[in-house]
Amino acid sequence: MARKARPAGQRLDGVKRVARFTNANGVVGAGFAPASSAAEKFNLSWHSFCNTHYALFFFFLRHCAMELTPNNLDQLSGIAQCLDDQWAPPDIAQEAAESEKPLSDYAKRIQPAMKMEFFKALLTLRSVVVNRAYLLHNEAVKELYLGGDSEAESFERLVQERAIIPFLYDERQLSDFKGTDLSRDVEDYWVKAEAKGTNKLRLSWDDKRNGTLITDHISKRFGGFFKTIDDLRPDLLRNDFSLSTFDDESIRQMLKNMRDFANRVQDETGRPVKRKEIYHEFVCVGGLHKDHLVFDLKKPLAMQIKALADLKYNVNLPDVLNRYVVTSQGSTSRECLQEIKELTEGIKEVDEKELQDLMMAVAGVGLDIASAPFN
């Protein structure tokens, strides 16, 4: 049955209600609510708690600032794709492409949509992991903690209660501003947050192991996808992207071109291909500053390739964390990555690890469907 979308204003009200409830009761979201009151407050049955003892364990731990690793995350955690600095609602991205203007020219229209999608993720997940770079540089996020007193207080509470968890790649401190160009108010905010003992997440707090994990499981994962991208089935991509004017052979040839490019970059540089390099070769007008990308519709399948690159880029971290990604309204579903096909083709019997990977892939697609706007 078709489902009707909740207006954006209602989503915002929902997040604010969560923040107000937090201020009064010290909880965020049903998953972290004390078992004695959650059902009453959120009109949930007892069965809604898949593990009550686990929820209570987190209730007592979350007030203690911790250097977190993936093992400390609640199972229903993940990231919000919308905070990616190259994200835009598809209609705005298409408008930018047709006007031949940089996507950055549409920032004032993108930011409100980005905030609404972020709120959706906060309502969908128990914890939203946010890249530290987005906390420092994303204008939509900065508006939340540098805005009015009530909004800033709600944001701080969401951070302190682990509804929002900062993710650090190689830094050890939230207030490590080396090599960044930040306004004084942003620096002051995160210096104070650090002093309050804000929780923070890394893949490992052993620097050597953390570097290895980032290289092997984030950088190489994106590049590896494009080195074998010709394994994707053209007919499925044609259906996913509604490419009625492209035949399978045309799509197959484009996949081979991307595969050859990714392998050439690897051979010439000794490192995996980066997303900006995919943009430059297949998506955008060349020769422009990295923050002022102009989409080039003369390049075949430019917008579809961008969507595929963005999707793979944004599922890497949640996949490494063994958690979820909340894709944004109108954005490409991770079905396009054909992970379920890859996990099931040619397998007659599955071992425990293969079964776990398959179920996570199915769950990831299911979360896409569950968090999508009602139509």
Side-chain angles (χ1 to χ4, degrees):
M1 181 184 296
R3 298 173 295 178
K4 188 174 181 180
R6 288 180 298 166
Q10 289 184 16
R11 292 190 219 155
L12 174 57
D13 290 341
V15 174
K16 288 186 174 179
R17 283 197 296 272
V18 171
R20 285 198 294 271
F21 182 64
T22 297
N23 292 339
N25 298 277
V27 298
V28 172
F32 293 116
S36 60
S37 62
E40 177 183 352
K41 292 290 184 181
F42 289 95
N43 194 29
L44 298 175
S45 69
W46 185 261
H47 203 287
S48 299
F49 294 98
C50 54
N51 191 328
T52 303
H53 292 90
Y54 184 61
L56 287 172
F57 178 72
F58 259 85
F59 173 70
F60 290 111
L61 271 188
R62 70 182 186 278
H63 293 288
C64 305
M66 294 178 65
E67 293 182 337
L68 305 174
T69 62
N71 289 335
N72 301 122
L73 292 177
D74 184 273
Q75 188 60 43
L76 192 57
S77 302
I79 74 156
Q81 180 196 15
C82 63
L83 298 184
D84 176 12
D85 56 2
Q86 301 302 331
W87 179 83
D91 58 332
I92 296 179
Q94 186 65 31
E95 183 180 337
E98 292 173 355
S99 67
E100 300 182 352
K101 294 180 180 179
L103 189 62
S104 56
D105 285 5
Y106 294 82
K108 290 185 178 179
R109 289 173 56 190
I110 293 172
Q111 287 168 19
M114 188 177 287
K115 287 173 68 174
M116 291 300 101
E117 292 295 333
F118 185 34
F119 295 149
K120 182 180 77 173
L122 287 169
L123 292 168
T124 302
L125 300 171
R126 292 179 182 170
S127 296
V128 178
V129 175
V130 180
N131 189 330
R132 173 181 173 272
Y134 299 157
L135 293 172
L136 298 180
H137 299 288
N138 186 298
E139 294 298 328
V141 176
K142 288 196 290 185
E143 280 184 14
L144 296 177
Y145 63 80
L146 296 178
D149 291 342
S150 60
E151 200 166 46
E153 182 181 349
S154 296
F155 182 89
E156 180 179 352
R157 177 68 71 164
L158 291 170
V159 172
Q160 294 300 323
E161 301 291 341
R162 294 195 198 172
I164 297 172
I165 299 178
F167 176 78
L168 285 63
Y169 273 86
D170 53 11
E171 307 88 357
R172 299 191 68 88
Q173 303 293 331
L174 291 165
S175 55
D176 178 1
F177 305 127
K178 182 167 46 178
T180 59
D181 182 19
L182 300 171
S183 62
R184 183 61 180 271
D185 52 353
V186 172
E187 289 190 1
D188 288 347
Y189 182 90
W190 291 107
V191 167
K192 292 176 182 176
E194 195 86 63
K196 293 177 181 178
T198 300
N199 295 288
K200 49 199 175 186
L201 171 70
R202 289 206 331 176
L203 297 184
S204 173
W205 289 93
D206 177 274
D207 289 342
K208 184 176 180 180
R209 174 165 173 72
N210 186 68
T212 300
L213 290 172
I214 287 175
T215 299
D216 290 348
H217 297 288
I218 295 183
S219 302
K220 289 184 178 179
R221 190 181 291 251
F222 179 84
F225 172 76
F226 280 92
K227 287 175 66 176
T228 59
I229 195 170
D230 59 317
D231 287 342
L232 299 184
R233 281 178 50 181
D235 59 321
L236 296 181
L237 289 177
R238 184 158 42 80
N239 291 333
D240 290 336
F241 286 106
S242 302
L243 300 174
S244 58
T245 59
F246 286 83
D247 58 32
D248 287 359
E249 188 54 40
S250 299
I251 297 172
R252 184 176 291 108
Q253 185 58 53
M254 181 56 64
L255 295 175
K256 290 179 179 178
N257 293 343
M258 288 189 282
R259 175 205 64 189
D260 293 344
F261 175 75
N263 281 283
R264 186 164 65 250
V265 169
Q266 178 82 51
D267 291 342
E268 293 175 355
T269 65
R271 58 160 175 77
V273 68
K274 296 181 179 179
R275 180 168 62 156
K276 290 292 178 67
E277 292 169 325
I278 296 291
Y279 280 178
H280 186 276
E281 185 72 12
F282 298 103
V283 177
C284 295
V285 176
L288 294 177
H289 188 275
K290 63 180 181 179
D291 294 327
H292 297 279
L293 300 176
V294 178
F295 304 134
D296 188 352
L297 293 181
K298 298 183 183 67
K299 294 183 175 181
L301 301 174
M303 302 307 290
Q304 290 80 10
I305 293 171
K306 178 186 184 298
L308 202 59
D310 290 349
L311 179 62
K312 184 58 185 176
Y313 182 86
N314 282 288
V315 302
N316 281 346
L317 178 58
D319 283 355
V320 172
L321 299 175
N322 200 25
R323 298 302 187 270
Y324 302 100
V325 60
V326 176
T327 52
S328 304
Q329 179 177 355
S331 296
T332 304
S333 164
R334 71 178 298 165
E335 285 180 275
C336 295
L337 300 179
Q338 300 182 20
E339 296 156 315
I340 296 175
K341 175 187 75 67
E342 178 184 339
L343 288 166
T344 56
E345 272 189 350
I347 297 178
K348 296 180 179 179
E349 295 183 6
V350 295
D351 60 23
E352 184 177 343
K353 177 63 167 59
E354 290 168 333
L355 181 60
Q356 180 183 3
D357 289 345
L358 175 60
M359 295 307 296
M360 284 298 296
V362 173
V365 173
L367 185 66
D368 262 2
I369 297 170
S371 62
F374 297 106
N375 295 316

